[in-house]
Amino acid sequence: MAHAAVQYFLSLFFFLFFLSPNVVSSIGVMLNPYNPSCASKPPASATPISSSDVDLLQFALNLEHTECDFFLYGALGCGLDAIAPELAMGGPPPIGARKANLDETTRLIIEEFGYQEVGHLRAIKNTVGGFPRPQLDLSAENFAKIMDDAFGYHLNPPFDPYNNTINYLLASYAIPYMGLVAYVGANPNINGFVSKRLLAGLLAVEAGQDAIIRAKLYERMHEFVPPYQITVAEFTNRISSLRNRLANCGIKDKGLLVPHELGAEGRISTNILSANRDSLGHRRTPAEVLRVVYGTGSERQPGGFLPKGGNGKIARELLVDH
């Protein structure tokens, strides 16, 4: 009996290790849930984070902070100071942010976006360090001015992003896309493999947020935005045109309805995603981004969402007085 048992185990050993490597691999994974093969190896000759990466990735914090508090307040009525106060690093609370009157589906989407932005702030600051949250202006008055600038006249009554779901989505249209184009613009100048991994992860989620916002607006693009006799599509076109005008570097932003020649392959007028002639994401430099976010058309004149200017080396060096 003992001899038979020995033969059985020897046969099983031979089968597992010589005839069925897949079985061995599966058993190894079960015994050791952490599978080293899941982690990609770093490039043979590269640095994790180059010195030039730090400023570019920290610059993005200005946009991430703006999105974070706008989304958290819109969905919850409270912001970063209530969810992860350590990430504010003592920066002042945003001006005028408040809870929006959203339908429950949209509220849940925006709440998720807010938490995602908390994660983005943590990821950037843990990887390359950071700075205190800059002064943000998320007031209805600031958004009203943006919309007035987009249309070239005062909307009556003034646009209020917190009034209802469609207004809030239009206001959201004005924010995440700037993070998207900033990351696409920064990508060629990022050198470290850890920095590249971080930027790719950030860009993926920013693009997803922008796509969801645009898709929800796309479904209602022919509706009038009450109480104005202006369609959703016209709002998006005006906002995009304003950003192109402020950035002053050509067409890198398009609304939901475009001339055929600006649509995908020059064959369609609907424009659910904004992209270039090859359907690649547009890119903007930090200076272009600040011209838009400041709302002044100048990277040296703060205003808009960042009334005291952005924080970090890049933004501060672009100011007139630094």
Side-chain angles (χ1 to χ4, degrees):
M1 179 69 70
H3 180 70
V6 170
Q7 283 188 320
Y8 170 78
F9 283 112
L10 285 175
S11 299
L12 179 62
F13 178 85
F14 180 81
F15 172 75
L16 289 176
F17 285 88
F18 294 97
L19 296 182
S20 184
N22 289 334
V23 173
V24 175
S25 176
S26 298
I27 292 175
V29 171
M30 287 187 290
L31 294 177
N32 180 13
Y34 174 70
N35 183 359
S37 65
C38 294
S40 60
K41 294 181 179 179
S45 58
T47 57
I49 303 170
S50 73
S51 57
S52 60
D53 297 345
V54 174
D55 294 338
L56 278 171
L57 290 170
Q58 286 189 352
F59 174 78
L61 289 171
N62 292 295
L63 302 171
E64 298 288 0
H65 268 298
T66 304
E67 295 173 54
C68 183
D69 271 313
F70 182 61
F71 290 143
L72 288 177
Y73 269 98
L76 302 173
C78 61
L80 186 63
D81 293 312
I83 304 300
E86 72 282 1
L87 294 175
M89 298 174 64
I95 299 168
R98 57 185 171 88
K99 194 174 189 299
N101 182 26
L102 305 175
D103 66 71
E104 184 58 13
T105 298
T106 303
R107 193 199 67 76
L108 287 171
I109 291 171
I110 297 302
E111 182 179 0
E112 182 176 339
F113 285 3
Y115 295 143
Q116 289 171 349
E117 298 306 330
V118 173
H120 289 181
L121 290 172
R122 183 182 298 110
I124 295 172
K125 294 188 178 190
N126 284 348
T127 303
V128 295
F131 47 70
R133 173 181 55 199
Q135 180 65 74
L136 305 174
D137 187 348
L138 300 175
S139 66
E141 291 76 14
N142 183 46
F143 279 98
K145 182 181 183 304
I146 291 170
M147 296 304 178
D148 287 351
D149 290 344
F151 281 93
Y153 59 87
H154 294 294
L155 295 180
N156 186 26
F159 181 87
D160 183 347
Y162 303 107
N163 192 47
N164 54 53
T165 295
I166 194 64
N167 281 21
Y168 191 86
L169 288 171
L170 287 168
S172 298
Y173 178 93
I175 297 179
Y177 183 70
M178 295 311 298
L180 188 164
V181 293
Y183 285 133
V184 176
N187 181 61
N189 299 314
I190 293 291
N191 298 303
F193 64 87
V194 170
S195 304
K196 289 178 181 179
R197 184 170 61 215
L198 173 62
L199 186 146
L202 293 164
L203 175 58
V205 175
E206 292 295 323
Q209 291 177 354
D210 183 65
I212 290 172
I213 291 166
R214 291 181 71 103
K216 288 186 72 67
L217 291 170
Y218 185 89
E219 291 174 345
R220 303 174 64 173
M221 65 178 173
H222 296 301
E223 293 181 19
F224 287 114
V225 178
Y228 318 108
Q229 292 298 302
I230 304 170
T231 65
V232 168
E234 181 63 13
F235 262 92
T236 65
N237 291 343
R238 295 286 190 136
I239 295 168
S240 290
S241 294
L242 173 65
R243 291 192 292 214
N244 287 328
R245 188 165 68 250
L246 290 171
N248 197 28
C249 287
I251 298 176
K252 298 184 180 181
D253 198 327
K254 298 187 288 291
L256 296 175
L257 285 176
V258 297
H260 259 71
E261 60 268 22
L262 294 180
E265 293 300 295
R267 293 172 178 268
I268 194 168
S269 290
T270 53
N271 191 53
I272 195 166
L273 295 178
S274 186
N276 68 12
R277 61 181 299 172
D278 293 318
S279 291
L280 303 177
H282 292 288
R283 59 184 183 179
R284 290 197 185 278
T285 65
E288 288 177 70
V289 170
L290 290 176
R291 290 171 205 156
V292 175
V293 175
Y294 290 168
T296 62
S298 171
E299 63 272 31
R300 300 186 180 278
Q301 292 182 291
F305 294 116
L306 296 167
K308 295 184 178 180
N311 281 349
K313 183 178 179 180
I314 291 175
R316 302 314 294 179
E317 287 186 347
L318 288 171
L319 292 176
V320 175
D321 298 317
H322 61 272

